[in-house]
């Protein structure tokens, strides 16, 4: 299980490599803080975990000439490719055929080799694992890896350092790496609300079954939240302290994305708008005195679709 001390070590390791993103304070009719992680390198929180994974691998000698390999719906590949370019490491990224072109083009622009395999993340994952076994490339998991989740949790450290009075942090969940890291950082200090699309509810399904289980993957947010099952780290985190679990519809996600653009000029992708959708739809209603922060965690989207 990831602990807060692991997150704090990650924060020290990646210092100077990632941006400390701003925490937008409430104003006027706004009732929540927004953690603006869409301003992170690559436009996504995964850059934190990518640097922590690769720097740790270099420290131990695990990463050699074959570099790293990752399977991704897009964002993890972007982050690992960016970190690898910065650190002088070879990167190979496996993505499903459904990965958005805007993400694939940027992965290539960072110098990584891109291989398209299958129609969903799980197929790209199997191919990436086989590639690592054949070549000796170090495997970087998109979400269910100790260093990756601890790195992601550093955004919660920043949030609670900038505003210690925050009671609740709302995050979107796909494979659960962000949730696992945030839960580790916030344990004993703030509660966590875990928001998932109704059409790929990995964490909710695992909580009901008592173990991680496969779910069908579909919906508007499946490119970034479309893991087939929740990771072991996220499952362990919910066993330690169950989050408030919330499901939102595709229409609610689309409306939240549109509202983030029209109200704040935040260019979020659908997965990144999922957490905000819980509030906007009324699926999660804070108490009158509850101080809430929402993580807006990804900006890799086609600007033409925002209006």
């Amino acid at each position: 299980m990831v602990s807060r001390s692991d997150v704090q070590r990650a924060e020290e390791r990646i210092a100077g490599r990632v941006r400390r993103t701003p925490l937008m304070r409430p104003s006027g009719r706004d009732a929540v803080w927004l953690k603006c992680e869409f301003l992170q390198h690559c436009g996504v929180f995964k850059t934190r975990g990518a640097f922590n994974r690769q720097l740790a691998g270099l420290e131990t000698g695990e990463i050699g000439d074959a570099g790293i390999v990752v399977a991704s719906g897009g964002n993890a590949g972007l982050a690992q490719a960016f970190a690898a370019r910065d650190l002088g490491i070879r990167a190979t990224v496996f993505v499903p055929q459904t990965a958005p072109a805007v993400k694939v083009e940027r992965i290539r622009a960072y110098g990584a080799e891109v291989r398209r395999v299958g129609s969903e993340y799980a197929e790209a994952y199997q191919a990436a694992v086989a590639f690592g076994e054949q070549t000796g490339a170090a495997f970087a998991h998109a979400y269910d890896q100790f260093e990756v989740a601890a790195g992601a949790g550093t955004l919660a450290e920043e949030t609670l350092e900038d505003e210690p009075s925050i009671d609740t942090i709302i995050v979107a969940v796909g494979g659960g790496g962000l949730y696992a890291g945030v839960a580790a950082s916030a344990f004993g200090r703030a509660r966590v609300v875990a928001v998932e699309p109704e059409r790929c509810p990995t964490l909710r399904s695992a909580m009901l079954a008592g173990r991680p289980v496969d779910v069908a993957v579909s919906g508007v947010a499946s490119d970034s939240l479309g893991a087939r099952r929740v990771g072991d780290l996220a499952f362990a985190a919910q066993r330690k302290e169950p989050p408030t679990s919330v499901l939102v519809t595709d229409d609610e996600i689309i409306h939240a994305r549109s509202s983030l653009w029209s109200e704040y000029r935040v260019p979020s992708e659908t997965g990144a708008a999922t957490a905000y959708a819980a509030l906007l739809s009324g699926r999660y209603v804070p108490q009158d005195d509850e101080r809430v922060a929402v993580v807006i965690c990804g900006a890799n989207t086609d600007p033409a679709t925002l209006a």
Side-chain angles (χ1 to χ4, degrees):
M1 184 183 298
V2 181
S3 69
R4 187 184 175 197
S5 62
D6 299 318
V7 176
Q8 290 171 321
R9 280 194 291 272
E11 190 172 37
E12 293 174 359
R13 181 180 285 128
I14 66 178
R17 301 281 187 179
V18 301
R19 293 171 179 155
R20 185 185 182 97
T21 54
L23 183 66
M24 187 186 299
R25 304 183 66 83
S27 61
R29 64 178 181 170
D30 301 330
V32 300
W33 282 255
L34 298 181
K35 178 58 171 170
C36 301
E37 191 62 11
F38 62 92
L39 295 174
Q40 187 54 259
H41 291 299
C42 305
V44 66
F45 75 91
K46 289 180 179 289
T47 307
R48 298 171 182 267
F51 269 112
N52 195 42
R53 169 69 181 101
Q54 292 185 32
L55 287 167
L58 289 172
E59 290 171 8
T60 61
E62 178 190 5
I63 297 177
D65 292 341
I68 60 105
V69 60
V70 60
S72 169
N75 283 339
L78 274 171
Q80 294 288 347
F82 179 87
R85 184 185 68 173
D86 192 68
L87 298 173
I89 295 170
R90 178 182 177 186
T92 306
V93 181
F94 285 76
V95 300
Q97 297 288 348
T98 52
V102 65
K103 297 182 182 181
V104 174
E105 290 166 6
R106 289 188 67 196
I107 292 171
R108 288 197 176 105
Y110 290 143
E113 179 184 352
V114 177
R115 300 194 180 193
R116 287 181 175 269
V117 176
S119 61
E120 62 181 64
Y121 168 78
E123 294 171 280
Y125 172 84
Q126 292 170 355
V129 170
F131 178 87
E133 292 172 348
Q134 294 164 5
T135 65
F139 186 72
H141 202 287
Y143 55 89
D144 196 27
Q145 196 166 43
F146 198 81
E147 296 87 357
V148 169
T154 61
L155 69 81
E157 286 293 309
E158 293 176 4
T159 298
L160 294 173
E161 287 168 7
D162 290 346
E163 187 50 66
S165 67
I166 292 292
D167 298 303
T168 303
I169 300 176
I170 303 180
V171 299
V173 178
L178 176 61
Y179 161 68
V182 169
S185 172
F187 182 71
R189 302 192 294 161
R191 69 180 64 90
V192 179
V193 175
V195 188
E196 301 176 89
E198 283 187 344
R199 297 175 70 180
C200 42
T202 58
L203 181 60
R204 172 71 71 85
S205 298
M207 292 171 70
L208 292 174
R211 59 184 175 83
V213 293
D214 286 352
V215 302
V217 175
S218 63
V220 297
S222 61
D223 67 303
S224 55
L225 300 180
R228 185 179 289 178
R229 67 165 56 193
V230 77
D232 291 337
L233 294 175
F235 186 71
Q238 66 81 33
R239 292 187 70 178
K240 182 175 183 179
E241 184 175 51
T244 299
S245 174
V246 175
L247 301 184
V248 292
T249 68
D250 276 4
D251 285 345
E252 288 163 349
I253 294 170
I254 292 169
H255 177 58
R257 179 175 179 261
S258 177
S259 295
L260 284 168
W261 177 248
S262 61
E263 295 292 329
Y264 300 102
R265 281 300 185 261
V266 170
S268 73
E269 54 194 277
T270 48
T274 298
Y276 188 57
L279 284 175
L280 208 60
S281 65
R283 301 274 183 168
Y284 181 76
V285 180
Q287 300 297 316
D288 290 342
D289 59 348
E290 187 175 351
R291 299 164 75 87
V292 177
V294 182
V295 180
I296 310 299
C297 54
N300 294 306
T301 190
D302 182 353
T305 67
L306 289 170

